[in-house]
Every structure is written in structure tokens, then in C-alpha cells.
Amino acid sequence: MDTLELLAHPVRLRVVHALRGGRALTTGQLCALIPDASKATVYRHVDLLAAGGILDVADERRVRGAVERSYRLRQEHPGIDAEAMRALTPQHHERAFAAAMAALVAEFGAYLERDGSDPVDDLVGYRQHAIWLSKDELAELIGAMQAAIAPLLANEPSRDRTRYLLSPILFPAEQAGQAEQPEQPDRL
């Protein structure tokens, strides 16, 4: 199974999200973080991610005669580069996008189900904006977002940090020139 195929599943994406920040978690801990998926489902997807080279075993210990493993994201795990993205069909992109959205909806639902969830106090946001950009302006926006987000990806878990999901989604909703301003009638 290639990297895209591995990551194009909502539960596997949620496992990857849970392990960000250098975390090492047992499958039991992952089950607690993904309560809407059965234990068998989480175990199966952890096994697939480990076999596919996305996860490493961080630690093993004996617990009541069984081996309990902690998993972490591989530092050098394979990514999906621009060349691989170009090779995808529109159907592949649609499937990957649907998996990402399903994971996001499931994570948001799990958040809302938690005792004490407070979208206002937690500064939850899910706004959408329609903006007009040239190619240069788009490149500048992406660069600014990367510059703002990249340093924060190295943050490790701590008592004063909450794990947030940030999902920038950007795509052209219209083709350039498609929505030209209609001509105004002459005024007398």
C-alpha cells in the first residue's frame, strides 16, 4: 500500500494526528483518543500504518503476559510530494479530500462530545472566506501560512498546551476571468 493509500482513510489520519508533536502512544491510548472507532478498527489501522512505514514501535513492555507497544510517527516517513500529487487522477484527489474531511468531522464530533467542550472559550473556528488572488498573491499567501505554521509543528505536548487541528484548505472555486464584473449601464 502506498503512502497516499495509507493516509486516505479517516481513522488512519486521526491516528497520525494523535501522534504529532513527537508523541508515543499505546494502541489503548489511541483508542481513548478515537472513542467513536472500535478497538479492533484502531488496532487494525495502527498495524497497517506500522507495516507501511508511517509508524515505528517506540517502546515495548510486558503487561499481564501480553506485549504492549507504544507507537510514534517515523521521523523520515514517506511523504506525498508534488510529483506524486501530479500523478493522481481527479478521483484520487476526491477520495483523499473526502477522507480528510471525514477525519475532520469525526474529530470535531469527538471534541463536541467531550465533557466541558466550549467552542467559544476554546476559540474554535471554521470560517470560510472567498478571496481573489493572482498566482503571485496565492504563492505569497501560502508562503506566509507556511512561515506561521511550520515552527509550531515542532511544539511538543506539555501541560499548558492543547492539541489543536489546523486544516488549511485552499482551492480555486472559479476559473480566472470566469466572474468578470458585469458592465454597468451608461448613466445619463
Side-chain angles (χ1 to χ4, degrees), residues 11-179:
V11 172
R12 291 193 289 266
L13 275 177
R14 292 175 72 192
V15 168
V16 168
H17 293 320
L19 292 170
R20 295 268 184 213
R23 291 171 104 180
L25 300 172
T26 66
T27 311
Q29 291 169 316
L30 289 166
C31 287
L33 292 171
I34 309 171
D36 52 307
S38 71
K39 287 183 180 186
T41 296
V42 173
Y43 275 80
R44 183 175 66 248
H45 289 297
V46 166
D47 285 344
L48 285 169
L49 289 167
I54 303 294
L55 304 182
D56 273 336
V57 175
D59 188 37
E60 291 183 337
R61 66 184 187 113
R62 287 233 173 254
V63 178
R64 288 174 270 172
V67 175
E68 180 182 68
R69 292 182 179 94
S70 294
Y71 294 91
R72 68 173 167 243
L73 289 176
R74 286 185 66 190
Q75 295 302 321
E76 68 284 347
H77 74 83
I80 303 167
D81 60 15
E83 185 178 322
M85 291 294 284
R86 277 188 197 88
L88 299 178
T89 66
Q91 293 77 20
H92 286 118
H93 282 286
E94 185 175 33
R95 182 166 174 247
F97 185 80
M101 292 303 97
L104 195 58
V105 167
E107 290 278 9
F108 191 66
Y111 159 74
L112 291 173
E113 299 267 328
R114 283 196 319 255
D115 288 339
S117 67
D118 183 342
V120 174
D121 190 48
D122 293 335
L123 301 176
V124 170
Y126 42 83
R127 293 171 187 84
Q128 294 179 347
H129 306 279
I131 54 178
W132 297 89
L133 302 168
S134 68
K135 282 281 192 184
D136 290 342
E137 291 166 331
L138 176 60
E140 186 178 328
L141 173 65
I142 291 170
M145 289 171 54
Q146 288 172 334
I149 296 167
L152 303 175
L153 295 175
N155 285 357
E156 294 185 2
S158 69
R159 290 194 177 276
D160 63 331
R161 286 187 174 139
T162 299
R163 181 174 61 98
Y164 281 81
L165 286 182
L166 177 63
S167 299
I169 299 168
L170 186 65
F171 60 90
E174 297 178 14
Q175 291 179 330
Q178 182 179 355

